[in-house]
mmCIF file with all atom_site columns, all heavy atoms in Angstrom:
data_model
loop_
_atom_site.group_PDB
_atom_site.id
_atom_site.type_symbol
_atom_site.label_atom_id
_atom_site.label_alt_id
_atom_site.label_comp_id
_atom_site.label_asym_id
_atom_site.label_entity_id
_atom_site.label_seq_id
_atom_site.pdbx_PDB_ins_code
_atom_site.Cartn_x
_atom_site.Cartn_y
_atom_site.Cartn_z
_atom_site.occupancy
_atom_site.B_iso_or_equiv
_atom_site.pdbx_formal_charge
_atom_site.auth_seq_id
_atom_site.auth_comp_id
_atom_site.auth_asym_id
_atom_site.auth_atom_id
_atom_site.pdbx_PDB_model_num
ATOM 1   N N   . SER A 1 234 ? 102.879 101.383 84.849 1.00 0.00 ? 241 SER A N   1
ATOM 2   C CA  . SER A 1 234 ? 104.258 101.082 84.943 1.00 0.00 ? 241 SER A CA  1
ATOM 3   C C   . SER A 1 234 ? 105.146 102.265 84.853 1.00 0.00 ? 241 SER A C   1
ATOM 4   O O   . SER A 1 234 ? 106.122 102.521 85.572 1.00 0.00 ? 241 SER A O   1
ATOM 5   C CB  . SER A 1 234 ? 104.652 100.046 83.890 1.00 0.00 ? 241 SER A CB  1
ATOM 6   O OG  . SER A 1 234 ? 105.986 99.625  84.016 1.00 0.00 ? 241 SER A OG  1
ATOM 7   N N   . ASN A 1 235 ? 104.883 103.098 83.843 1.00 0.00 ? 242 ASN A N   1
ATOM 8   C CA  . ASN A 1 235 ? 105.612 104.306 83.635 1.00 0.00 ? 242 ASN A CA  1
ATOM 9   C C   . ASN A 1 235 ? 105.523 105.244 84.810 1.00 0.00 ? 242 ASN A C   1
ATOM 10  O O   . ASN A 1 235 ? 106.455 105.895 85.273 1.00 0.00 ? 242 ASN A O   1
ATOM 11  C CB  . ASN A 1 235 ? 105.228 105.076 82.394 1.00 0.00 ? 242 ASN A CB  1
ATOM 12  C CG  . ASN A 1 235 ? 105.625 104.307 81.087 1.00 0.00 ? 242 ASN A CG  1
ATOM 13  O OD1 . ASN A 1 235 ? 106.625 103.620 81.098 1.00 0.00 ? 242 ASN A OD1 1
ATOM 14  N ND2 . ASN A 1 235 ? 104.829 104.553 80.054 1.00 0.00 ? 242 ASN A ND2 1
ATOM 15  N N   . GLN A 1 236 ? 104.326 105.425 85.342 1.00 0.00 ? 243 GLN A N   1
ATOM 16  C CA  . GLN A 1 236 ? 104.087 106.235 86.590 1.00 0.00 ? 243 GLN A CA  1
ATOM 17  C C   . GLN A 1 236 ? 104.968 105.758 87.712 1.00 0.00 ? 243 GLN A C   1
ATOM 18  O O   . GLN A 1 236 ? 105.501 106.524 88.440 1.00 0.00 ? 243 GLN A O   1
ATOM 19  C CB  . GLN A 1 236 ? 102.627 106.341 86.980 1.00 0.00 ? 243 GLN A CB  1
ATOM 20  C CG  . GLN A 1 236 ? 101.720 107.013 85.919 1.00 0.00 ? 243 GLN A CG  1
ATOM 21  C CD  . GLN A 1 236 ? 102.093 108.420 85.628 1.00 0.00 ? 243 GLN A CD  1
ATOM 22  O OE1 . GLN A 1 236 ? 102.223 109.132 86.544 1.00 0.00 ? 243 GLN A OE1 1
ATOM 23  N NE2 . GLN A 1 236 ? 102.257 108.817 84.438 1.00 0.00 ? 243 GLN A NE2 1
ATOM 24  N N   . LEU A 1 237 ? 104.940 104.395 87.940 1.00 0.00 ? 244 LEU A N   1
ATOM 25  C CA  . LEU A 1 237 ? 105.766 103.902 89.017 1.00 0.00 ? 244 LEU A CA  1
ATOM 26  C C   . LEU A 1 237 ? 107.144 104.031 88.835 1.00 0.00 ? 244 LEU A C   1
ATOM 27  O O   . LEU A 1 237 ? 107.976 104.291 89.867 1.00 0.00 ? 244 LEU A O   1
ATOM 28  C CB  . LEU A 1 237 ? 105.393 102.337 89.166 1.00 0.00 ? 244 LEU A CB  1
ATOM 29  C CG  . LEU A 1 237 ? 104.037 101.974 89.559 1.00 0.00 ? 244 LEU A CG  1
ATOM 30  C CD1 . LEU A 1 237 ? 103.695 100.576 89.527 1.00 0.00 ? 244 LEU A CD1 1
ATOM 31  C CD2 . LEU A 1 237 ? 103.739 102.456 91.021 1.00 0.00 ? 244 LEU A CD2 1
ATOM 32  N N   . ARG A 1 238 ? 107.682 103.923 87.610 1.00 0.00 ? 245 ARG A N   1
ATOM 33  C CA  . ARG A 1 238 ? 109.171 104.091 87.512 1.00 0.00 ? 245 ARG A CA  1
ATOM 34  C C   . ARG A 1 238 ? 109.529 105.653 87.864 1.00 0.00 ? 245 ARG A C   1
ATOM 35  O O   . ARG A 1 238 ? 110.465 105.821 88.313 1.00 0.00 ? 245 ARG A O   1
ATOM 36  C CB  . ARG A 1 238 ? 109.456 103.924 85.966 1.00 0.00 ? 245 ARG A CB  1
ATOM 37  C CG  . ARG A 1 238 ? 109.667 102.408 85.710 1.00 0.00 ? 245 ARG A CG  1
ATOM 38  C CD  . ARG A 1 238 ? 110.403 102.189 84.405 1.00 0.00 ? 245 ARG A CD  1
ATOM 39  N NE  . ARG A 1 238 ? 109.559 102.635 83.205 1.00 0.00 ? 245 ARG A NE  1
ATOM 40  C CZ  . ARG A 1 238 ? 108.754 101.787 82.559 1.00 0.00 ? 245 ARG A CZ  1
ATOM 41  N NH1 . ARG A 1 238 ? 108.593 100.481 83.044 1.00 0.00 ? 245 ARG A NH1 1
ATOM 42  N NH2 . ARG A 1 238 ? 107.970 102.202 81.636 1.00 0.00 ? 245 ARG A NH2 1
ATOM 43  N N   . THR A 1 239 ? 108.596 106.500 87.384 1.00 0.00 ? 246 THR A N   1
ATOM 44  C CA  . THR A 1 239 ? 108.865 107.983 87.746 1.00 0.00 ? 246 THR A CA  1
ATOM 45  C C   . THR A 1 239 ? 108.903 108.193 89.255 1.00 0.00 ? 246 THR A C   1
ATOM 46  O O   . THR A 1 239 ? 109.808 108.835 89.855 1.00 0.00 ? 246 THR A O   1
ATOM 47  C CB  . THR A 1 239 ? 107.866 108.895 87.157 1.00 0.00 ? 246 THR A CB  1
ATOM 48  O OG1 . THR A 1 239 ? 107.817 108.751 85.620 1.00 0.00 ? 246 THR A OG1 1
ATOM 49  C CG2 . THR A 1 239 ? 108.047 110.247 87.475 1.00 0.00 ? 246 THR A CG2 1
ATOM 50  N N   . LEU A 1 240 ? 107.893 107.655 89.954 1.00 0.00 ? 247 LEU A N   1
ATOM 51  C CA  . LEU A 1 240 ? 107.835 107.685 91.412 1.00 0.00 ? 247 LEU A CA  1
ATOM 52  C C   . LEU A 1 240 ? 108.993 107.072 92.042 1.00 0.00 ? 247 LEU A C   1
ATOM 53  O O   . LEU A 1 240 ? 109.620 107.561 92.942 1.00 0.00 ? 247 LEU A O   1
ATOM 54  C CB  . LEU A 1 240 ? 106.540 107.141 91.914 1.00 0.00 ? 247 LEU A CB  1
ATOM 55  C CG  . LEU A 1 240 ? 105.235 107.822 91.586 1.00 0.00 ? 247 LEU A CG  1
ATOM 56  C CD1 . LEU A 1 240 ? 104.063 107.031 92.007 1.00 0.00 ? 247 LEU A CD1 1
ATOM 57  C CD2 . LEU A 1 240 ? 105.278 109.247 92.322 1.00 0.00 ? 247 LEU A CD2 1
ATOM 58  N N   . GLU A 1 241 ? 109.408 105.953 91.647 1.00 0.00 ? 248 GLU A N   1
ATOM 59  C CA  . GLU A 1 241 ? 110.596 105.219 92.239 1.00 0.00 ? 248 GLU A CA  1
ATOM 60  C C   . GLU A 1 241 ? 111.872 106.054 92.020 1.00 0.00 ? 248 GLU A C   1
ATOM 61  O O   . GLU A 1 241 ? 112.703 106.008 92.922 1.00 0.00 ? 248 GLU A O   1
ATOM 62  C CB  . GLU A 1 241 ? 110.732 103.899 91.576 1.00 0.00 ? 248 GLU A CB  1
ATOM 63  C CG  . GLU A 1 241 ? 109.683 102.845 92.049 1.00 0.00 ? 248 GLU A CG  1
ATOM 64  C CD  . GLU A 1 241 ? 109.610 101.558 91.257 1.00 0.00 ? 248 GLU A CD  1
ATOM 65  O OE1 . GLU A 1 241 ? 110.258 101.540 90.160 1.00 0.00 ? 248 GLU A OE1 1
ATOM 66  O OE2 . GLU A 1 241 ? 109.090 100.545 91.731 1.00 0.00 ? 248 GLU A OE2 1
ATOM 67  N N   . SER A 1 242 ? 112.040 106.677 90.866 1.00 0.00 ? 249 SER A N   1
ATOM 68  C CA  . SER A 1 242 ? 113.198 107.482 90.546 1.00 0.00 ? 249 SER A CA  1
ATOM 69  C C   . SER A 1 242 ? 113.187 108.685 91.652 1.00 0.00 ? 249 SER A C   1
ATOM 70  O O   . SER A 1 242 ? 114.254 109.019 92.107 1.00 0.00 ? 249 SER A O   1
ATOM 71  C CB  . SER A 1 242 ? 113.223 108.024 89.185 1.00 0.00 ? 249 SER A CB  1
ATOM 72  O OG  . SER A 1 242 ? 114.175 108.864 88.937 1.00 0.00 ? 249 SER A OG  1
ATOM 73  N N   . ARG A 1 243 ? 112.044 109.286 91.874 1.00 0.00 ? 250 ARG A N   1
ATOM 74  C CA  . ARG A 1 243 ? 111.983 110.403 92.780 1.00 0.00 ? 250 ARG A CA  1
ATOM 75  C C   . ARG A 1 243 ? 112.271 109.990 94.140 1.00 0.00 ? 250 ARG A C   1
ATOM 76  O O   . ARG A 1 243 ? 112.919 110.626 94.917 1.00 0.00 ? 250 ARG A O   1
ATOM 77  C CB  . ARG A 1 243 ? 110.643 111.090 92.689 1.00 0.00 ? 250 ARG A CB  1
ATOM 78  C CG  . ARG A 1 243 ? 110.395 111.849 91.334 1.00 0.00 ? 250 ARG A CG  1
ATOM 79  C CD  . ARG A 1 243 ? 108.960 112.261 91.343 1.00 0.00 ? 250 ARG A CD  1
ATOM 80  N NE  . ARG A 1 243 ? 108.745 113.089 90.167 1.00 0.00 ? 250 ARG A NE  1
ATOM 81  C CZ  . ARG A 1 243 ? 107.542 113.485 89.736 1.00 0.00 ? 250 ARG A CZ  1
ATOM 82  N NH1 . ARG A 1 243 ? 106.456 113.323 90.509 1.00 0.00 ? 250 ARG A NH1 1
ATOM 83  N NH2 . ARG A 1 243 ? 107.346 114.263 88.569 1.00 0.00 ? 250 ARG A NH2 1
ATOM 84  N N   . THR A 1 244 ? 111.850 108.730 94.467 1.00 0.00 ? 251 THR A N   1
ATOM 85  C CA  . THR A 1 244 ? 112.040 108.125 95.807 1.00 0.00 ? 251 THR A CA  1
ATOM 86  C C   . THR A 1 244 ? 113.521 107.937 96.076 1.00 0.00 ? 251 THR A C   1
ATOM 87  O O   . THR A 1 244 ? 114.030 108.280 97.115 1.00 0.00 ? 251 THR A O   1
ATOM 88  C CB  . THR A 1 244 ? 111.290 106.923 96.119 1.00 0.00 ? 251 THR A CB  1
ATOM 89  O OG1 . THR A 1 244 ? 109.833 107.224 95.937 1.00 0.00 ? 251 THR A OG1 1
ATOM 90  C CG2 . THR A 1 244 ? 111.572 106.300 97.541 1.00 0.00 ? 251 THR A CG2 1
ATOM 91  N N   . ARG A 1 245 ? 114.243 107.390 95.034 1.00 0.00 ? 252 ARG A N   1
ATOM 92  C CA  . ARG A 1 245 ? 115.717 107.147 95.235 1.00 0.00 ? 252 ARG A CA  1
ATOM 93  C C   . ARG A 1 245 ? 116.424 108.489 95.353 1.00 0.00 ? 252 ARG A C   1
ATOM 94  O O   . ARG A 1 245 ? 117.498 108.468 96.051 1.00 0.00 ? 252 ARG A O   1
ATOM 95  C CB  . ARG A 1 245 ? 116.200 106.379 93.945 1.00 0.00 ? 252 ARG A CB  1
ATOM 96  C CG  . ARG A 1 245 ? 115.761 104.975 93.964 1.00 0.00 ? 252 ARG A CG  1
ATOM 97  C CD  . ARG A 1 245 ? 116.584 104.180 92.889 1.00 0.00 ? 252 ARG A CD  1
ATOM 98  N NE  . ARG A 1 245 ? 116.209 104.750 91.510 1.00 0.00 ? 252 ARG A NE  1
ATOM 99  C CZ  . ARG A 1 245 ? 115.272 104.193 90.754 1.00 0.00 ? 252 ARG A CZ  1
ATOM 100 N NH1 . ARG A 1 245 ? 114.561 103.167 91.276 1.00 0.00 ? 252 ARG A NH1 1
ATOM 101 N NH2 . ARG A 1 245 ? 114.969 104.649 89.618 1.00 0.00 ? 252 ARG A NH2 1
ATOM 102 N N   . GLU A 1 246 ? 115.896 109.452 94.809 1.00 0.00 ? 253 GLU A N   1
ATOM 103 C CA  . GLU A 1 246 ? 116.555 110.793 94.956 1.00 0.00 ? 253 GLU A CA  1
ATOM 104 C C   . GLU A 1 246 ? 116.365 111.529 96.235 1.00 0.00 ? 253 GLU A C   1
ATOM 105 O O   . GLU A 1 246 ? 116.757 112.663 96.503 1.00 0.00 ? 253 GLU A O   1
ATOM 106 C CB  . GLU A 1 246 ? 116.176 111.739 93.779 1.00 0.00 ? 253 GLU A CB  1
ATOM 107 C CG  . GLU A 1 246 ? 116.621 111.312 92.455 1.00 0.00 ? 253 GLU A CG  1
ATOM 108 C CD  . GLU A 1 246 ? 115.897 111.989 91.329 1.00 0.00 ? 253 GLU A CD  1
ATOM 109 O OE1 . GLU A 1 246 ? 115.188 112.962 91.632 1.00 0.00 ? 253 GLU A OE1 1
ATOM 110 O OE2 . GLU A 1 246 ? 116.042 111.742 90.173 1.00 0.00 ? 253 GLU A OE2 1
ATOM 111 N N   . ASN A 1 247 ? 115.446 110.847 97.043 1.00 0.00 ? 254 ASN A N   1
ATOM 112 C CA  . ASN A 1 247 ? 115.119 111.382 98.413 1.00 0.00 ? 254 ASN A CA  1
ATOM 113 C C   . ASN A 1 247 ? 114.407 112.759 98.240 1.00 0.00 ? 254 ASN A C   1
ATOM 114 O O   . ASN A 1 247 ? 114.688 113.659 99.061 1.00 0.00 ? 254 ASN A O   1
ATOM 115 C CB  . ASN A 1 247 ? 116.364 111.488 99.382 1.00 0.00 ? 254 ASN A CB  1
ATOM 116 C CG  . ASN A 1 247 ? 116.826 110.128 99.753 1.00 0.00 ? 254 ASN A CG  1
ATOM 117 O OD1 . ASN A 1 247 ? 116.011 109.248 99.987 1.00 0.00 ? 254 ASN A OD1 1
ATOM 118 N ND2 . ASN A 1 247 ? 118.219 110.013 99.673 1.00 0.00 ? 254 ASN A ND2 1
ATOM 119 N N   . ASN A 1 248 ? 113.669 112.890 97.193 1.00 0.00 ? 255 ASN A N   1
ATOM 120 C CA  . ASN A 1 248 ? 112.890 114.135 96.921 1.00 0.00 ? 255 ASN A CA  1
ATOM 121 C C   . ASN A 1 248 ? 111.469 114.114 97.739 1.00 0.00 ? 255 ASN A C   1
ATOM 122 O O   . ASN A 1 248 ? 110.618 113.576 97.222 1.00 0.00 ? 255 ASN A O   1
ATOM 123 C CB  . ASN A 1 248 ? 112.602 114.323 95.464 1.00 0.00 ? 255 ASN A CB  1
ATOM 124 C CG  . ASN A 1 248 ? 111.948 115.670 95.206 1.00 0.00 ? 255 ASN A CG  1
ATOM 125 O OD1 . ASN A 1 248 ? 111.744 116.412 96.122 1.00 0.00 ? 255 ASN A OD1 1
ATOM 126 N ND2 . ASN A 1 248 ? 111.410 115.679 94.037 1.00 0.00 ? 255 ASN A ND2 1
#
Side-chain angles (χ1 to χ4, degrees):
S241 181
N242 289 333
Q243 295 299 309
L244 290 174
R245 280 196 292 271
T246 300
L247 290 172
E248 287 168 342
S249 174
R250 291 174 178 172
T251 300
R252 284 193 297 270
E253 295 169 1
N254 294 317
N255 179 15

